[in-house]
Amino acid sequence: MFPLQVIINGIIIGSIYSLVTVGFCIMYQQLRFINLFHGALYLISSYLIYAFFSFMGLHFLLSNIFTIIIVLFLSLIVTNFFFIPFSNFNQSASILLIFSFVLLILSQNIIILFFYADPKVINYDFLNTPISINSIKFIYRHLFIFFLSIVIIFMLFLLLYKTKTGIKMRAVSDNSILSEIKGINSKKMIMISSGISSFLASVSGSFNTLECNIEPNMGFVMVFKAITATILGGGNIHGAILGAFIIGILENISVWYFPSGFKNLITFTLLILIMFFKSKDIFETKFKREKTG
Amino acid sequence: MDYFIHLSIHFVLYIFLVSGFCILYNYTGLINLSYVSIFAIGAYTFALTSLHFNFNFIAATFIVICIAIILGFFLSFFTNRFSGDYFALVTLGFAMIVDVLLKNCNTITNGPIGISNIVKPNLIFFKISNMYGFLSLFIVYTFVILIFLKILKRIYGTSILLALKEDEQLLNALGKNTFNIKSIVIIISSIIAALAGQLYATYISFIDPYSFTLNMLLMIILISSLVSEIAKVYQIIIAVFAVMLIPEIIKIFRLPQEHIGPLQQIIYAITMLCIIILKAKKKVLQ
């Protein structure tokens, strides 16, 4: 039987996964397609923070701010010019999936062109002092990441459920035609969701740069974990967070028993098994938009 | 001259490979993103059976076809309930699983080191050992596949496969078993991929998990998006030729080695994006 340390490790890594998953889930609810470009935003933000911090020597917080602004611009441009017009077509989900897949490969290869394919680390001693409670060991940085993730998700829930913008966003994700009849500008709400989603990707990219090494393939792997967590949780945000923590814990348990090369195998296997056994309701929207062509 | 023969062998291999992908896409509208991993499994099966059990080429062909049938059935069984983008998602997950397994099962597949010194094909009456022999073998395989495509168009051209692509639920409601039809098309596509993998393994005679990447998948998707009707052979040939011309043009510029690969993929990706955008504009204008 595995020790409690494994579960605590899973919860800590699950908090990073939950940020990416919530970002993915917001876009999934608005446009109902598997957005593989979210992994590209995560990848680009990690490498931009690495470039600003290690190449140019800026302070970590400043490089974070620059990265958030750049990734925000990128996400808004792609959503406005490509994702929203394509979502009006009949087979929009497949077109958008292939489009975001090709965008992910494009950004991955641009990063390989500039940064080469070997894994990179930044040396930033941020809260590196260890702490142990009852023989469970972690460092203060892990606590910082966990609590900051919880705070960000809490603020996101406040935004979604207590502010007018959040209510409008949820209305558009539920049924965009009726919301437009009521006067909500659905394109603006989708852009705001895209901005929030890119902000979450940047923050979790910066956490990942602090914690682990970065390599060009991690965009793919991370967006797959987000997809699995969302589908495991049933397609809404509460389930997505729970799914992310479950995936983090399951991953660490599998590393306890199997060799560490198989770490990502549990996510992919879980995806196929869930897709096979889950009911079809979450895959079909209740009210489809009137589509052209 | 040798480089030209090497290029033509790759050209013919890609025609063979892409026709398998296009059968699935043009006749059922499903995008099978695990196509390259079935290609990899075909290559690894041939390499391992010829290494451990000393099978010759023809016996290994039977084993490869059997494994392709099992994999195709497995894939169609797990994805029976949905189509479109969830099919692409599940096949992408399957491709990632195969990728991880090939890189990490060191006892079976030699891990990242790969398998080298794969035997050249030894058909009963011929022994193929030089490049012209390989070229003729590949051309024979491709010829058979192209004739098969014509036959398929003649039998199924305007009937049940077109109906499957249009509206699968309606076909189910009318009483046809769409699971059987989809399974057969997926299995045919997997057989073509696995046979192409066997040919690739015996030509290159060294395989490792890093030669079957998503980059090859991007090239296949790019070629198949240029092909609108699979039974017109000239479309496949021109599309493969155009897409294979691009890396050759890049090589003229004499860039350092580590920049050529990503640059080639960037050009493929930008071309693919432009094709999607142009097709979408054409749909809007209609």
Side-chain angles (χ1 to χ4, degrees):
Chain A
M1 192 59 184
F2 45 85
L4 195 58
Q5 172 81 41
V6 167
I7 297 191
I8 300 292
N9 281 348
I11 292 181
I12 293 170
I13 204 83
S15 60
I16 302 182
Y17 291 168
S18 68
L19 284 180
V20 187
T21 309
V22 170
F24 174 82
C25 191
I26 289 179
M27 278 310 282
Y28 179 70
Q29 278 190 323
Q30 304 283 31
L31 287 176
R32 291 286 161 190
F33 77 102
I34 306 285
N35 183 15
L36 291 170
F37 185 60
H38 196 65
L41 293 174
Y42 175 78
L43 181 69
I44 292 173
S45 65
S46 293
Y47 269 91
L48 276 179
I49 291 178
Y50 168 78
F52 281 135
F53 185 75
S54 290
F55 279 8
M56 299 193 205
L58 299 177
H59 187 254
F60 192 74
L61 198 60
L62 200 60
S63 56
N64 260 343
I65 294 177
F66 284 161
T67 308
I68 289 177
I69 295 176
I70 294 177
V71 169
L72 186 72
F73 257 124
L74 193 63
S75 164
L76 288 178
I77 289 174
V78 167
T79 314
N80 184 26
F81 288 117
F82 300 121
F83 289 163
I84 294 182
F86 285 169
S87 71
N88 286 327
F89 295 134
N90 239 343
Q91 297 275 334
S92 66
S94 325
I95 298 178
L96 281 169
L97 183 116
I98 297 290
F99 193 81
S100 53
F101 177 67
V102 176
L103 273 176
L104 175 57
I105 295 187
L106 175 70
S107 21
Q108 192 170 338
N109 279 299
I110 290 180
I111 283 179
I112 296 181
L113 189 69
F114 286 122
F115 291 100
Y116 307 115
D118 48 333
K120 310 243 189 272
V121 211
I122 66 170
N123 7 329
Y124 184 44
D125 269 344
F126 181 63
L127 292 182
N128 247 345
T129 51
I131 154 178
S132 90
I133 302 177
N134 277 0
S135 85
I136 298 177
K137 301 181 175 37
F138 39 90
I139 59 179
Y140 278 112
R141 190 172 61 211
H142 292 159
L143 274 181
F144 171 74
I145 289 178
F146 179 70
F147 280 115
L148 196 56
S149 314
I150 301 271
V151 162
I152 290 178
I153 291 180
F154 183 66
M155 282 179 16
L156 182 74
F157 270 105
L158 275 182
L159 172 75
L160 276 182
Y161 284 92
K162 298 288 184 192
T163 66
K164 257 194 184 162
T165 313
I167 296 179
K168 288 183 191 176
M169 277 165 58
R170 280 188 297 131
V172 167
S173 76
D174 201 30
N175 188 348
S176 60
I177 298 180
L178 279 182
S179 347
E180 286 200 7
I181 291 177
K182 285 294 270 187
I184 300 174
N185 187 356
S186 73
K187 184 166 175 178
K188 189 166 153 195
M189 291 305 134
I190 295 178
M191 301 283 281
I192 293 179
S193 320
S194 158
I196 294 177
S197 155
S198 73
F199 170 73
L200 290 169
S202 317
V203 168
S204 68
S206 83
F207 286 161
N208 189 53
T209 320
L210 274 180
E211 265 300 307
C212 336
N213 53 1
I214 57 179
E215 48 161 9
N217 208 26
M218 69 180 186
F220 241 116
V221 171
M222 188 53 100
V223 77
F224 250 91
K225 291 184 180 153
I227 294 171
T228 313
T230 310
I231 294 182
L232 181 59
N236 54 0
I237 299 186
H238 314 265
I241 301 173
L242 190 63
F245 278 106
I246 290 180
I247 284 185
I249 294 176
L250 277 180
E251 206 178 77
N252 274 315
I253 293 178
S254 77
V255 168
W256 180 255
Y257 289 119
F258 298 115
S260 75
F262 294 99
K263 186 166 86 135
N264 297 325
L265 192 67
I266 186 86
T267 317
F268 307 131
T269 324
L270 205 60
L271 176 69
I272 294 185
L273 287 176
I274 292 172
M275 297 285 280
F276 183 59
F277 287 113
K278 194 121 179 130
S279 73
K280 218 173 173 190
D281 290 340
I282 69 161
F283 300 137
E284 289 166 359
T285 55
K286 280 184 275 194
F287 309 102
K288 284 197 165 51
R289 294 170 76 157
E290 281 278 315
K291 301 206 174 170
T292 62
Chain B
M1 190 60 192
D2 265 354
Y3 185 62
F4 181 66
I5 305 262
H6 176 78
L7 274 186
S8 11
I9 290 180
H10 270 280
F11 176 70
V12 176
L13 181 69
Y14 269 106
I15 294 179
F16 189 76
L17 198 60
V18 167
S19 48
F21 189 84
C22 281
I23 281 182
L24 197 57
Y25 182 55
N26 288 53
Y27 281 132
T28 55
L30 299 169
I31 302 174
N32 181 9
L33 293 177
S34 69
Y35 193 68
V36 172
S37 60
I38 302 182
F39 179 67
I41 289 181
Y44 263 90
T45 317
F46 173 67
L48 289 171
T49 52
S50 73
L51 192 68
H52 292 304
F53 305 118
N54 283 330
F55 282 7
N56 67 350
F57 192 76
I58 300 184
T61 309
F62 284 118
I63 303 284
V64 162
I65 291 182
C66 287
I67 293 206
I69 292 177
I70 294 174
L71 273 178
F73 183 72
F74 182 75
L75 214 71
S76 73
F77 180 68
F78 270 91
T79 61
N80 180 34
R81 306 166 46 189
F82 21 73
S83 58
D85 66 329
Y86 292 104
F87 183 86
L89 179 67
V90 172
T91 51
L92 192 58
F94 182 68
M96 301 258 105
I97 290 183
V98 170
D99 196 33
V100 166
L101 284 179
L102 283 181
K103 281 180 186 159
N104 283 301
C105 286
N106 286 346
T107 52
I108 306 181
T109 66
N110 251 353
I113 306 176
I115 303 178
S116 51
N117 287 335
I118 305 178
V119 299
K120 305 226 185 294
N122 178 12
L123 317 169
I124 311 289
F125 302 110
F126 316 94
K127 235 192 173 97
I128 298 183
S129 54
N130 65 348
M131 296 181 80
Y132 296 98
F134 273 117
L135 186 60
S136 7
L137 179 71
F138 280 43
I139 287 182
V140 164
Y141 267 75
T142 314
F143 206 62
V144 168
I145 281 298
L146 291 176
I147 293 180
F148 175 72
L149 287 177
K150 289 279 188 195
I151 295 177
L152 204 66
K153 166 87 189 274
R154 186 72 60 92
I155 297 178
Y156 286 114
T158 54
S159 68
I160 212 163
L161 287 174
L162 280 181
L164 187 69
K165 193 173 174 186
E166 282 297 316
D167 195 342
E168 183 188 337
Q169 252 183 344
L170 184 61
L171 204 58
N172 244 334
L174 288 176
K176 303 283 181 192
N177 193 346
T178 55
F179 174 62
N180 283 350
I181 304 169
K182 268 201 293 189
S183 290
I184 290 178
V185 182
I186 293 177
I187 288 175
I188 291 177
S189 163
S190 316
I191 291 177
I192 295 178
L195 287 176
Q198 180 184 12
L199 288 179
Y200 179 82
T202 170
Y203 174 60
I204 306 276
S205 81
F206 165 72
I207 54 175
D208 64 336
Y210 297 101
S211 41
F212 309 108
T213 55
L214 291 166
N215 298 331
M216 196 186 273
L217 184 66
L218 180 63
M219 201 160 147
I220 293 177
I221 293 180
L222 179 59
I223 297 174
S224 69
S225 70
L226 294 169
V227 171
S228 68
E229 196 189 324
I230 185 66
K232 297 203 170 120
V233 174
Y234 69 89
Q235 283 190 1
I236 314 177
I237 293 183
I238 293 180
V240 175
F241 183 71
V243 169
M244 281 192 67
L245 205 60
I246 297 176
E248 304 308 315
I249 294 179
I250 299 179
K251 284 190 184 134
I252 295 180
F253 291 112
R254 308 267 173 94
L255 293 168
Q257 185 60 34
E258 62 261 12
H259 286 156
I260 291 185
L263 197 60
Q264 175 183 335
Q265 297 307 315
I266 289 174
I267 295 184
Y268 282 159
I270 293 180
T271 319
M272 184 73 204
L273 293 176
C274 293
I275 289 176
I276 295 180
I277 294 173
L278 287 173
K279 278 195 178 174
K281 275 209 166 79
K282 199 170 71 160
K283 261 193 200 179
V284 169
L285 287 176
Q286 268 176 353

